[in-house]
Amino acid sequence: MKKIEAIIKPFKLDDVREALSEIGISGMTAIEVKGFGRQKGHTELYRGAEYVVDFLPKIMLEIVVGDEQVDACIEAITKAARSGRIGDGKIFVTNVERATRIRTGEEGMDAV
């Protein structure tokens, strides 16, 4: 099993969810996060004072899939989240040693 963490722009969330649903991935966790990288920040004006917004709002998705689904999942996220502009996001893949469904005690992919 693998855990895919994808950091995307907030307005792309519905597109990514639909793309994942089309390939049979139905479960995910979406977390509102803030971050910065090459996109940097921007300057805003508030009550006559300028200030720099360093951290920009993003959505982090956490998805656990079987090893055979990883490539399709990454492709779906990439196609749905890409705008072609800086700040589209990143995808990270890590190994999952074990998964257990609390309610039933199921293990492995059955728990996902």
Side-chain angles (χ1 to χ4, degrees):
M1 292 180 295
K2 304 285 187 199
K3 178 165 90 168
I4 298 172
E5 291 177 311
I7 301 170
I8 62 171
K9 291 182 175 182
F11 67 89
K12 290 290 192 173
L13 178 59
D14 286 336
D15 295 339
V16 171
R17 185 184 50 77
E18 287 174 17
L20 290 171
S21 181
E22 287 175 10
I23 63 168
I25 296 173
S26 57
M28 74 176 75
T29 301
I31 306 160
E32 292 181 3
V33 296
K34 292 183 182 221
F36 73 95
R38 291 187 184 150
Q39 192 176 5
K40 306 286 188 238
H42 60 277
T43 304
E44 289 191 3
L45 196 62
Y46 179 72
R47 294 190 178 185
E50 273 193 3
Y51 66 99
V52 176
V53 178
D54 289 331
F55 288 90
L56 301 171
K58 302 286 182 180
I59 298 289
M60 184 169 68
L61 302 176
E62 291 185 342
I63 308 155
V64 176
V65 297
D67 293 343
E68 68 283 350
Q69 294 177 298
V70 172
D71 291 335
C73 185
I74 290 172
E75 185 177 332
I77 294 169
T78 301
K79 283 183 179 177
R82 179 180 288 142
S83 70
R85 301 180 64 192
I86 195 166
D88 277 348
K90 300 244 183 338
I91 300 173
F92 304 99
V93 180
T94 56
N95 289 319
V96 174
E97 297 288 326
R98 185 174 178 182
T100 304
R101 184 183 308 268
I102 294 172
R103 180 177 54 88
T104 63
E106 292 170 292
E107 299 262 337
M109 281 306 296
D110 292 335
V112 177

